Amino acid sequence: MIAHLQGKLVEKSPTQIIIDCGGVGYHVNISLHTYSLLPNTDFIKVYTHLQIKEDAHTLFGFVEKSEREIFKMLLSVSGIGASIARTMLSSLDPKQITNAIASGDVVTIQSIKGIGSKTAQRVILDLKDKVLKLYDLDEVSMSQSNTNRDEALSALEVLGFLRKSSERVVEKIVKEDPEASVESIIKKALKNL
């Protein structure tokens, strides 16, 4: 119903903001991730999700559309309400959550306050396919949390290569030689990019 709010930021705290839109002050619940991304200007725009219950109409706001989409996905999981979804987005950034879901990392999701092992497993079971499809992730690439791979990708990005194309090339190199050093990954990637 309310897709976004654009107006003057009247009040802000790590859990909520008040935005004045044409003389009406909207109370909006936010995550710590959104709080950290709020600009230092008076005029802001947040993407919103309106939750309607018998006893309350609650607005949740997000600086990034992608965070709102993850929030909505989390709400679709049985046993996860708005407050737990917001806690998840306050504990981990959206990319960490999507990576944990895509790679089936129960431990990371379970590390969030208020989430037990059954709920963590349900989140992964319900959302893994959606996340892999929506974010165009490859299950193989998610299973290896390789620091050499990550460092090589960062270096290639600094050199001006697009992350998406670099990831494909680096994944292929790491698959062929999982023990490859950062330097050798970069050298091989440069030949293929």
Side-chain angles (χ1 to χ4, degrees), residues 38-52:
L38 283 173
N40 288 328
T41 58
D42 282 351
F43 193 76
I44 65 164
K45 176 179 181 176
V46 290
Y47 299 98
T48 57
H49 173 76
L50 176 63
Q51 186 179 50
I52 298 174

Side-chain angles (χ1 to χ4, degrees), residues 101-104 123-132 139:
I101 291 169
S103 62
V123 167
I124 291 167
L125 190 69
D126 290 3
L127 300 180
K128 188 172 186 171
D129 292 339
K130 279 185 193 171
V131 166
L132 289 170
E139 225 171 324

